């Protein structure tokens, strides 16, 4: 290798190294500027909510706020459960058994995120063609298990992570 | 020529700074403590932070609020790092007012980690009235809000003395040699053995003052450990890049006859 | 401007450039012929651009979390420091960034004073620069009010009260500034609005500042006019860009030292006490970069007089190009002026120091002496020295240190030295 070539190589290495390391630094500086818009620590700390469900009559439902979004908690009657379980999976756009949407042994309690999976509106209860919910924004019909039956929404209403703390209290999140 | 003049500037400036202000005549300089959180890589002493929280909870909290802290902070990295269970237990030992409920009534419930530290008084006026006209300051950022920082807080805590002859004190006013004007409305609340430390450390006045000051230093700067760690990395990175860019610059300027 | 018209190589580039000549502008900026003897004092223009962008980016980010309300501002700052992801980092960069910005601008201004960069034909660059400096002070002052601590509140009270010194309408103006009968929530709100606006005005003026610079081209340590492009110049890229990058990185190391290891040393501890309209801190001081003017204000035992003198201290700089009578730009060739220049530097540093001290005793005396010299320097020293001074011989060009009137190469080499 001639002396001239060596010089060029060293120069190339220097410039490449400077550019590369400089780019890494710029990336490292950009991340905090992006991450600051993510939920902050105070928001993250509010991720669980406990709800008292002792006052809900069969067939009625309540709506509570969790992470700024409505949660529908419905105590279903045995007729409603039977109706939900009688539906053939083939008739569902997003096939899912009712049993998979409730906790074992607590079949009457439907706890779900009350947000239409189409574009985020809140569906109205006891409306629509399937005795469940109806989204007024773009006409999605949900059944008594919160599953999509008709309309533009692609999937069933989401079931959040929740558990029964005792028979009268559930913890969402 | 210019270099010489720079020296002249530095010299005259040092001369100026040596003319110390006369204002601090009656106030002793704070004791210098070798805190573990000092320096470029300083970190907090976890055990001291946990003990300091105990002192705060059992002694200070009856008058001083810490409204910008939440119980969850006690379990976060870089702080006292209590376990999740301990944080929950600490939080639930406080009755927090919440509401309104579905009837529109306020109610109390056990605290949750997401709750802010419970304040001893509902507002500044109530705190002032209950303490003989002197508001016990919120301690969330106290260490940053006092000249001298942690050293000053520690010094005041251990600086109570009998007033020298000739100094008379009103009722509810105490003599403290590190306080501005030497008069303080906070009584000396620390005495040996006041707190029974969970870890068995002997609770001397000096130990409690150090622990609670450490706790307050963390409360004011909970980001300190992360800041120090990131800072060291950033400086190393910058020095490396600066060296590379310097060499690149030398190379580029070698093409022209001017020195850079 | 480079003489030959720039023609983009690609067809698409040419199509675009015919409609919006951005590529021509880019080519002008990269090829821009720059004197090759610029020393490190010339890198602060680039550093200041970096400071402005840093302040704007971190400021926009902080505004996403800050709440401009008297009851919530202090708490929202604590929220940023404690809960927002990297909030502490962003806020410390912003608050220390203001100080670094002023550090750089003072070096930039004194560089201009030493090398005569304000003189013909660069008067407009100088005046735009001073307007930027004035806006910087306004932005920094209002930014300092936003955390709504004790220094925020009382600083705002004192500075807005300056306007009450104006005869007849002073009180009305002050009330108008406040939007209340004291500094209060409406004041905080409007300060936030203006604090967000001003950096963009500065950005606009910076564009004009650079535009005005590119008409005559850079001054240089020798202070002589040079042909462009010539063997006295180098293209801006890569020569000046790499040098600016190196200087900027050194600057950033100092900046990072403040942000990560002593983030509050340039601030005042009282500003971590929430604003209290009933209690004034024992010793109130502005941020360090305003201290010299604060010293001038306090050196006059008269309200209106002090205010007039303080504003004059800034506005006298606007007429500086016409107060300086010397034909020679660079102080390198002005042995007498050079001495006075350093006296001015020491004078301003001293004023800054006594501005931080109580206005009594020796400090008051020093403040008065300093103030008198400050004005004498511009009103008397600059015109008189310009006339009387026998300047050193000046080289014909940067590359050829041939002096008019005999060989004295050492002088020219000195001029080329980095400082």
């Amino acid at each position: 290798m001639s002396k001239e070539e060596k010089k060029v190589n060293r120069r190339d290495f220097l410039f490449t190294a400077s550019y590369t390391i400089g780019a890494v630094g710029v990336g490292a500086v950009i991340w905090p500027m992006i991450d600051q818009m993510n939920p902050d620590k105070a928001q993250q700390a509010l991720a669980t909510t406990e709800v008292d469900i002792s006052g809900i009559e069969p067939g009625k439902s309540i709506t509570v706020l969790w992470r700024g979004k409505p949660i529908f908690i419905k105590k279903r009657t045995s007729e409603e459960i039977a109706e939900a379980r009688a539906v053939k999976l083939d008739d569902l756009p997003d096939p899912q058994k009712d049993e998979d949407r409730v906790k074992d042994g607590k079949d009457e309690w439907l706890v779900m995120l009350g947000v239409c999976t189409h574009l985020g509106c809140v569906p109205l209860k006891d409306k629509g063609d399937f005795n469940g919910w109806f989204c007024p924004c773009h006409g999605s019909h949900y059944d008594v298990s919160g599953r999509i039956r008709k309309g533009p929404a692609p999937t069933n209403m989401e079931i959040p992570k929740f558990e029964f703390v005792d028979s009268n209290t559930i913890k969402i999140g | 020529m210019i270099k010489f003049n720079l020296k002249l500037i530095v010299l005259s400036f040092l001369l100026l700074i040596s003319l110390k202000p006369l204002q601090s005549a009656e106030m002793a300089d704070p004791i210098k403590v070798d805190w573990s959180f000092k320096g470029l890589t300083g970190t907090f002493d976890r055990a001291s932070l946990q003990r300091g929280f105990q002192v705060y909870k059992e002694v200070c909290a009856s008058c001083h609020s810490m409204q910008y802290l939440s119980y969850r902070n006690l379990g976060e990295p870089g702080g006292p790092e209590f376990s999740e269970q301990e944080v929950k237990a600490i939080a639930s030992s406080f009755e927090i007012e919440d509401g309104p409920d579905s009837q529109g009534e306020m109610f109390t419930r056990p605290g949750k980690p997401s709750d802010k530290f419970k304040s001893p008084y509902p507002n500044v006026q109530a705190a002032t009235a209950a303490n003989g006209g002197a508001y016990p300051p919120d301690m969330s950022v106290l260490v940053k809000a006092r000249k001298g920082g942690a050293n000053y807080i520690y010094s005041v805590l251990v600086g109570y003395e009998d007033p020298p002859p000739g100094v008379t004190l009103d009722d509810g006013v105490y003599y403290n040699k590190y306080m501005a004007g030497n008069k303080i409305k906070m009584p000396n609340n620390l005495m040996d053995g006041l707190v029974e430390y969970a870890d068995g450390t002997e609770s001397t006045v000096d130990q409690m003052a150090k622990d609670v000051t450490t706790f307050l230093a963390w409360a004011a700067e909970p980001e300190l450990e992360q800041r120090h760690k990131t800072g060291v990395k950033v400086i190393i990175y910058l020095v490396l890049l600066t060296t590379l860019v310097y060499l690149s610059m030398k190379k580029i300027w070698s093409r022209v006859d001017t020195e850079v | 401007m480079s003489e030959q018209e720039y023609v983009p190589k690609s067809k698409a580039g040419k199509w675009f450039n015919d409609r919006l000549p951005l590529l021509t502008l880019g080519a002008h900026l990269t090829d821009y012929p720059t004197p090759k003897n610029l020393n490190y004092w010339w890198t602060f223009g680039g550093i200041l651009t970096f400071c402005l962008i840093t302040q704007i980016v971190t400021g926009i980010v902080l505004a996403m979390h800050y709440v401009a309300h008297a009851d919530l501002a202090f708490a929202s700052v604590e929220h940023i420091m404690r809960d927002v992801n990297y909030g502490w980092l962003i806020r410390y960069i912003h608050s220390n960034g203001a100080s670094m910005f002023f550090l750089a601008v003072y070096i930039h201004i004194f560089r201009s004073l030493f090398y005569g960069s304000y003189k013909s034909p660069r008067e407009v660059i100088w005046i735009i620069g001073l307007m930027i400096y004035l806006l910087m002070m306004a932005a920094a002052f209002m930014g300092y009010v936003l955390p709504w601590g004790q220094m925020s509140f009382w600083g705002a009270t004192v500075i807005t009260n300056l306007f009450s010194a104006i005869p007849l309408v002073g009180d009305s103006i002050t009330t108008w500034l406040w939007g209340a009968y004291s500094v209060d929530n409406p004041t905080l709100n409007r300060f936030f609005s203006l604090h967000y606006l001003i950096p963009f005005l500065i950005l606009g003026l910076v564009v004009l500042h650079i535009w005005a610079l590119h008409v005559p081209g850079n001054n240089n340590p020798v202070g002589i006019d040079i042909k462009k492009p010539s063997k006295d110049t180098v293209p801006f890229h890569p020569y000046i860009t790499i040098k600016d990058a190196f200087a900027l990185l050194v600057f950033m190391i100092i900046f990072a030292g403040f942000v990560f290891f002593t983030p509050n040393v340039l601030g005042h501890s009282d500003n971590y006490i929430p604003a209290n309209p009933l209690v004034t801190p024992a010793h109130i001081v502005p941020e360090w970069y305003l201290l010299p003017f604060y010293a001038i204000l306090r050196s006059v035992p008269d309200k209106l007089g002090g205010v007039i003198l303080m504003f004059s201290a800034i506005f006298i700089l606007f007429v500086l190009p016409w107060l300086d009578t010397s034909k020679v730009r660079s102080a390198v060739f002005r042995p007498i002026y050079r001495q006075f220049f350093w006296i001015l530097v020491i004078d301003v540093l001293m004023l800054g120091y006594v501005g931080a001290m109580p206005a009594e005793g020796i400090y008051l005396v020093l403040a008065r002496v300093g103030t008198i010299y400050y004005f004498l320097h511009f009103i008397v020293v600059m015109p008189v020295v310009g006339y009387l001074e026998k300047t050193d011989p000046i080289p014909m060009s940067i590359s050829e240190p041939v002096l008019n009137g005999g060989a004295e190469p050492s002088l020219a080499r000195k001029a080329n030295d980095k400082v």
Side-chain angles (χ1 to χ4, degrees):
Chain A
M1 203 187 267
S2 75
K3 201 183 163 198
E4 195 61 23
E5 264 175 75
K6 239 185 214 159
K7 203 173 155 192
V8 168
N9 280 341
R10 182 169 163 223
R11 185 179 290 185
D12 284 350
F13 167 75
L14 261 178
F15 296 166
T16 314
S18 304
Y19 276 127
T20 316
I21 293 181
V24 169
V26 170
V29 168
I30 287 174
W31 172 244
M33 300 296 156
I34 294 170
D35 192 36
Q36 54 87 18
M37 283 172 72
N38 278 320
D40 60 48
K41 283 196 236 159
Q43 291 285 335
Q44 288 165 18
L46 295 174
T48 62
T49 301
E50 288 190 4
V51 187
D52 176 12
I53 52 170
S54 58
I56 307 174
E57 299 291 327
K60 300 287 177 196
S61 64
I62 60 165
T63 306
V64 296
L65 206 62
W66 175 67
R67 286 186 172 179
K69 284 184 246 174
I71 297 283
F72 295 158
I73 303 174
K74 185 177 170 84
K75 188 174 191 180
R76 302 183 298 177
T77 60
S78 43
E79 294 85 59
E80 285 172 323
I81 299 172
E83 185 193 329
R85 298 195 171 173
V87 180
K88 274 187 274 168
L89 284 184
D90 295 349
D91 294 347
L92 297 171
D94 178 16
Q96 194 181 18
K97 283 198 213 162
D98 182 62
E99 287 87 337
D100 297 340
R101 294 175 62 77
V102 293
K103 295 269 189 238
D104 238 9
K106 299 272 188 186
D107 299 327
E108 70 272 30
W109 291 108
L110 178 66
V111 178
M112 66 181 176
L113 199 55
V115 175
C116 180
T117 56
H118 182 221
L119 292 170
C121 297
V122 178
L124 305 168
K125 64 179 173 184
D126 306 327
K127 286 261 163 61
D129 300 350
F130 300 90
N131 292 327
W133 287 265
F134 170 69
C135 180
C137 291
H138 307 95
S140 292
H141 299 257
Y142 295 88
D143 67 13
V144 77
S145 186
R147 294 173 296 194
I148 180 67
R149 301 297 289 273
K150 200 169 104 184
T155 56
N156 305 328
M157 276 194 269
E158 199 185 317
I159 307 292
K161 186 175 161 251
F162 74 98
E163 62 189 61
F164 285 86
V165 179
D166 53 52
S167 56
N168 284 331
T169 315
I170 56 170
K171 186 172 118 185
I172 307 165
Chain B
M1 165 57 78
I2 290 164
K3 269 177 194 151
F4 162 74
N5 278 320
L6 280 176
K7 260 184 229 158
L8 198 75
I9 290 180
V10 173
L11 272 180
S12 37
F13 203 63
L14 287 178
L15 196 77
L16 264 174
I17 288 173
S18 66
L19 297 169
K20 268 213 154 180
L22 313 156
Q23 55 181 24
S24 54
E26 35 178 44
M27 186 180 147
D29 280 342
I31 305 163
K32 288 201 172 70
V33 181
D34 193 22
W35 303 104
S36 68
F37 49 86
K38 273 201 329 190
L40 301 190
T41 54
T43 54
F44 292 110
D45 174 352
R46 304 275 164 250
S48 182
L49 280 178
Q50 296 199 357
R51 291 194 300 269
F53 172 67
Q54 197 184 343
V55 176
Y56 160 72
K57 197 175 93 171
E58 293 178 16
V59 185
C60 321
S62 54
C63 296
H64 290 273
S65 61
M66 286 186 97
Q67 55 175 325
Y68 299 116
L69 273 83
S70 306
Y71 295 114
R72 63 185 160 81
N73 296 139
L74 296 169
E76 283 166 4
E81 297 186 2
F82 285 106
S83 72
E84 203 184 321
Q85 274 67 37
E86 286 170 321
V87 171
K88 275 190 180 150
I90 290 167
S92 62
S93 69
F94 293 91
E95 287 291 309
I96 303 288
E97 189 179 48
D98 199 352
D101 62 13
S102 49
Q103 309 303 312
E105 304 290 334
M106 300 304 280
F107 60 95
T108 56
R109 55 160 176 78
K112 291 188 279 194
S114 59
D115 286 319
K116 296 267 189 232
F117 276 23
K118 190 182 180 181
S119 296
Y121 302 103
N123 50 52
V124 174
Q125 285 77 3
T128 311
N131 287 282
Y135 168 61
D138 183 86
M139 299 206 299
S140 312
V141 285
L142 197 67
V143 169
K144 284 201 282 192
R146 293 292 179 275
K147 213 176 154 207
N151 285 339
Y152 170 78
I153 305 283
Y154 166 78
S155 303
V156 167
L157 286 174
V158 299
Y160 286 91
E161 281 180 354
D162 290 332
V167 175
T168 51
L169 296 171
D170 293 342
D171 252 9
V173 177
Y174 307 88
Y175 188 85
N176 190 310
K177 67 174 163 175
Y178 297 106
M179 187 77 184
N182 292 346
K183 286 179 184 162
I184 186 168
K185 286 204 168 178
M186 177 173 81
N188 184 6
N189 285 314
L190 295 179
M191 56 195 120
D192 287 339
L194 180 67
V195 168
E196 196 164 322
Y197 278 137
D199 64 1
T201 307
E202 198 190 337
S203 58
T204 59
V205 167
D206 187 67
Q207 184 67 41
M208 287 187 287
K210 276 192 176 129
D211 288 342
V212 81
T213 305
T214 305
F215 175 71
L216 292 178
W218 163 76
E221 297 190 291
E223 86 295 345
L224 180 134
E225 290 192 9
Q226 198 196 349
R227 176 155 60 74
H228 283 177
K229 257 185 251 163
T230 316
V232 170
K233 281 184 213 152
V234 167
I235 300 277
I236 290 172
Y237 166 82
L238 283 174
V239 169
L240 175 70
L241 185 61
T242 307
T243 315
L244 281 172
V245 168
Y246 178 77
L247 293 174
S248 301
M249 178 178 74
K250 281 290 186 193
K251 272 284 159 196
I252 288 172
W253 278 79
S254 67
R255 296 172 202 165
V256 292
D257 57 2
T258 312
E259 254 196 64
V260 63
Chain C
M1 291 275 170
S2 40
E3 305 302 314
Q4 68 274 41
E5 198 59 46
Y6 169 79
V7 182
K9 287 191 190 78
S10 75
K11 227 175 161 186
K14 190 174 176 324
W15 179 89
F16 181 81
N17 204 47
D18 287 344
R19 283 151 186 83
L20 180 68
L22 266 188
L23 297 172
T24 303
L25 177 67
H28 162 74
L29 290 177
T30 44
D31 297 343
Y32 173 67
T34 316
K36 65 181 183 182
N37 62 336
L38 295 188
N39 55 37
Y40 282 107
W41 299 115
W42 257 267
T43 59
F44 282 88
I47 288 171
L48 283 162
T49 313
F50 163 82
C51 288
L52 178 62
I53 292 167
T54 305
Q55 291 304 86
I56 289 180
V57 171
T58 53
I60 288 172
V61 163
L62 288 171
M64 294 181 190
H65 305 282
Y66 171 76
V67 183
H69 188 285
D71 296 338
L72 303 170
F74 193 88
S76 75
V77 171
E78 279 309 307
H79 167 68
I80 290 168
M81 295 298 290
R82 289 162 194 276
D83 291 336
V84 173
N85 303 317
Y86 297 101
W88 61 269
L89 175 62
I90 296 163
R91 174 168 175 255
Y92 278 152
I93 290 176
H94 197 72
S95 60
N96 285 286
S99 282
M100 299 307 286
F101 206 157
F102 274 95
L103 176 69
V105 92
Y106 282 125
I107 294 173
H108 195 63
I109 292 172
F110 276 109
R111 188 270 288 155
S112 181
L113 285 175
F114 187 83
Y115 293 109
S117 301
Y118 52 87
K119 288 155 80 98
S120 173
R122 296 186 180 83
E123 301 95 321
V124 173
I125 312 175
W126 170 254
I127 287 169
I128 294 172
L130 287 173
M131 288 160 73
I132 294 172
Y133 174 55
L134 276 176
L135 285 177
M136 277 175 66
M137 290 201 278
F141 158 65
M142 291 192 229
Y144 197 53
V145 175
L146 301 185
W148 211 239
Q150 274 289 66
M151 279 294 164
S152 302
F153 184 88
W154 292 101
T157 301
V158 168
I159 301 292
T160 48
N161 264 314
L162 292 179
F163 294 93
S164 70
I166 302 168
L168 299 175
V169 292
D171 284 334
S172 316
I173 290 179
T174 313
T175 312
W176 173 76
L177 284 173
W178 289 337
Y181 297 99
S182 66
V183 173
D184 207 338
N185 193 48
T187 326
L188 176 61
N189 257 297
R190 63 193 59 185
F191 277 17
F192 179 53
S193 169
L194 294 171
H195 182 72
Y196 208 122
L197 166 71
I198 291 174
F200 296 96
L201 299 180
I202 294 178
L203 190 63
L205 284 175
V206 166
V207 171
L208 295 182
H209 193 62
I210 296 170
W211 186 1
L213 168 71
H214 281 228
V215 175
N218 285 75
N219 184 25
N220 65 79
V222 186
I224 54 172
D225 290 325
I226 49 170
K227 279 206 210 84
K228 306 165 297 173
S230 72
K231 56 179 187 271
D232 281 350
T233 67
V234 289
F236 192 78
H237 182 74
Y239 294 95
I240 304 299
T241 42
I242 190 79
K243 194 168 173 175
D244 279 359
F246 169 65
L248 175 62
L249 281 164
V250 174
F251 183 81
M252 281 167 79
I253 292 174
I254 300 165
F255 194 165
F258 278 114
V259 168
F260 290 104
F261 299 112
T262 53
N264 292 307
V265 76
L266 297 169
H268 198 292
S269 52
D270 277 9
N271 221 28
Y272 282 105
I273 303 172
N276 181 356
L278 301 176
V279 184
T280 309
H283 183 53
I284 86 165
V285 282
E287 291 285 78
W288 68 267
Y289 38 80
L290 303 175
L291 287 173
F293 298 107
Y294 193 56
I296 292 175
L297 171 77
R298 295 193 307 182
S299 70
V300 186
D302 175 73
K303 186 173 175 180
L304 183 59
V307 173
I308 290 176
L309 215 59
M310 183 180 76
F311 282 106
S312 311
I314 301 166
F315 285 102
I316 199 166
L317 296 171
F318 280 86
V319 293
L320 180 62
W322 297 277
L323 288 174
D324 185 353
T325 51
S326 176
K327 298 252 177 336
V328 175
R329 283 202 196 98
S330 173
V332 171
F333 305 103
R334 300 182 61 190
I336 309 295
Y337 169 70
R338 200 160 60 214
Q339 303 307 321
F340 282 108
F341 170 84
W342 289 111
I343 293 173
L344 179 73
V345 174
I346 293 166
D347 184 58
V348 171
L349 286 175
M350 183 191 78
L351 280 173
Y353 178 73
V354 297
M357 293 295 128
E360 61 199 26
I362 177 77
Y363 299 117
L364 198 54
V365 177
L366 286 173
R368 286 183 180 155
V369 172
T371 302
I372 291 167
Y373 179 75
Y374 182 90
F375 284 99
L376 279 183
H377 180 91
F378 293 110
I379 297 170
V380 178
V381 173
M382 295 289 269
V384 171
V385 171
Y387 274 120
L388 302 181
E389 186 177 37
K390 186 184 178 303
T391 55
D392 292 334
I394 294 166
M396 302 290 284
S397 85
I398 294 168
S399 313
E400 300 160 61
V402 181
L403 307 170
N404 52 358
E408 209 189 323
S410 63
L411 248 183
R413 201 181 309 127
K414 191 165 72 191
N416 279 324
D417 269 356
K418 45 195 167 174
V419 182

